Amino acid sequence: MKYILFVLAGACSFGMLSTFVKKAYESGFNVGDVVGSQNLFGVLMLWILVLVSAKSNKQATAASSFKVSKRQVFSLMLVGTTTGLTGMFYYAALQYISASFAIILLFQFTWMGILLEAIVERKRPGKEKLLSLVILFIGIIMASGYLGGGKEAISWMGVTLGLLAAVTYALFIWFSGKTAKQVAPITRSAIMLTGSFILVMLVFPPHFLVNGSLHEALLPWALLLAIFGVVIPPLFFAIGVPKVGGGLATILSAAELPMAVVMSYVVLNEAVNWLQWLGVVVTMCGIALPELMKRMKKPVVLREQL
């Protein structure tokens, strides 16, 4: 159960980001400033945590978990680029389509993750997962607020970028639970986010370091985004995903949407209608369904064994 909570906490942390990003944009900062500073401070925080953990752990057997081969470093950095791509694709999509439509596209990662698990592991998803996905689709569309809005012109560029964000997010969740699992979670997270950081710096050179943006008001938002977007989610996913599996982790990650709605209502004072709140409830039911059905099956199995 605790590993499920780790994945849920990581997803909820991701859900807070849109609110912080909007606040940063209101302060006059651009995508490059926000994404670049977020990754810079996030990577620094993670590596500080790695060093502190390594020094505080004096047992040789435990300390060995901090040793990583060159192949593992390369693999983890490659996985890390998927989370960097997710952020860049999603922010770019918002330039062409509304936020409500973009969130619907991003959350296509739910079925993409289940499909990826079915293809790679060559096994059909269980009935509970399929039923959960149907409920999630309904809840996500309701909670996004798109049903209550007017029709908008479809931008195929925006649709493509939004779906690419969904693909890379599904890949991140999947591979973060499959790559170098024997390495300590905090070390895995630091290496993965180093790969993301390098990619982001190549796309968005760190002009914020020399143009005075950090001193103007970017620093508080950079730190918040780093903690809730770079440090907590990958670390918690690194701990929880290997234990719960990629398919269930994908479903649990849908908790990001309800958190985004709640944060928008509480912090940004955005109007949230009854349909969106109902969508939040439906989404949470879809998230909880696989675990509830699994728990309901356990007594049956025990009786059969007796």
Side-chain angles (χ1 to χ4, degrees):
M1 183 65 182
K2 68 177 181 179
Y3 297 109
I4 289 176
L5 294 177
F6 271 116
V7 178
L8 281 174
C12 289
S13 181
F14 265 134
M16 298 180 182
L17 297 183
S18 59
T19 296
F20 297 146
V21 169
K22 285 185 178 181
K23 285 291 187 180
Y25 287 164
E26 288 177 4
S27 300
F29 302 110
N30 57 40
V31 176
D33 293 332
V34 173
V35 176
S37 61
Q38 170 188 347
N39 276 267
L40 172 62
F41 286 103
V43 167
L44 289 176
M45 289 178 187
L46 282 173
W47 280 112
I48 290 173
L49 289 174
V50 170
L51 294 175
V52 171
S53 298
K55 288 183 178 180
S56 63
N57 196 339
K58 297 181 180 180
Q59 295 182 0
T61 55
S64 63
S65 64
F66 289 92
K67 296 180 180 179
V68 191
S69 68
K70 292 182 179 180
R71 182 175 181 179
Q72 289 173 328
V73 169
F74 177 77
S75 298
L76 288 170
M77 289 181 68
L78 191 61
V79 172
T81 60
T82 59
T83 188
L85 287 170
T86 299
M88 289 188 288
F89 284 143
Y90 184 65
Y91 291 148
L94 290 171
Q95 297 177 342
Y96 300 96
I97 55 179
S98 67
S100 59
F101 189 27
I103 199 76
I104 291 175
L105 294 173
L106 176 63
F107 272 82
Q108 301 308 304
F109 80 83
T110 51
W111 66 263
M112 291 178 181
I114 298 296
L115 179 62
L116 182 62
E117 182 182 49
I119 294 174
V120 176
E121 297 190 358
R122 295 182 180 180
K123 65 178 183 180
R124 291 183 179 182
K127 293 180 180 179
E128 69 277 5
K129 288 183 179 179
L130 293 175
L131 181 57
S132 178
L133 282 177
V134 173
I135 296 174
L136 281 174
F137 279 138
I138 296 172
I140 287 169
I141 293 174
M142 292 169 64
S144 69
Y146 188 66
L147 292 177
K151 295 181 179 179
E152 64 174 279
I154 295 178
S155 166
W156 291 111
M157 177 62 74
V159 170
T160 301
L161 290 169
L163 290 176
L164 284 173
V167 170
T168 53
Y169 192 31
L171 289 173
F172 169 67
I173 294 173
W174 173 262
F175 286 109
S176 66
K178 299 291 183 181
T179 307
K181 292 191 292 183
Q182 67 273 28
V183 179
I186 191 170
T187 306
R188 293 175 67 242
S189 298
I191 297 172
M192 284 193 291
L193 267 299
T194 299
S196 173
F197 170 72
I198 293 173
L199 177 64
V200 170
M201 290 298 103
L202 290 174
V203 178
F204 297 108
H207 298 302
F208 60 88
L209 290 176
V210 295
N211 63 12
S213 295
L214 284 177
H215 301 289
E216 291 176 2
L218 179 61
L219 184 59
W221 301 119
L223 293 176
L224 282 172
L225 288 167
I227 293 171
F228 291 100
V230 177
V231 177
I232 293 178
L235 177 58
F236 282 13
F237 282 162
I239 296 172
V241 173
K243 299 295 183 179
V244 304
L248 181 56
T250 299
I251 291 173
L252 294 172
S253 297
E256 178 182 343
L257 178 61
M259 178 57 71
V261 174
V262 172
M263 286 290 290
S264 297
Y265 178 77
V266 174
V267 179
L268 300 178
N269 296 318
E270 292 185 355
V272 180
N273 58 44
W274 67 269
L275 188 62
Q276 287 176 273
W277 286 122
L278 181 58
V280 169
V281 174
V282 172
T283 302
M284 296 306 294
C285 290
I287 293 170
L289 184 64
E291 183 64 16
L292 290 175
M293 293 183 69
K294 185 168 68 174
R295 288 177 178 270
M296 290 173 64
K297 288 180 180 179
K298 286 184 178 180
V300 176
V301 174
L302 289 175
R303 285 198 299 269
E304 290 178 350
Q305 291 177 345
L306 293 174

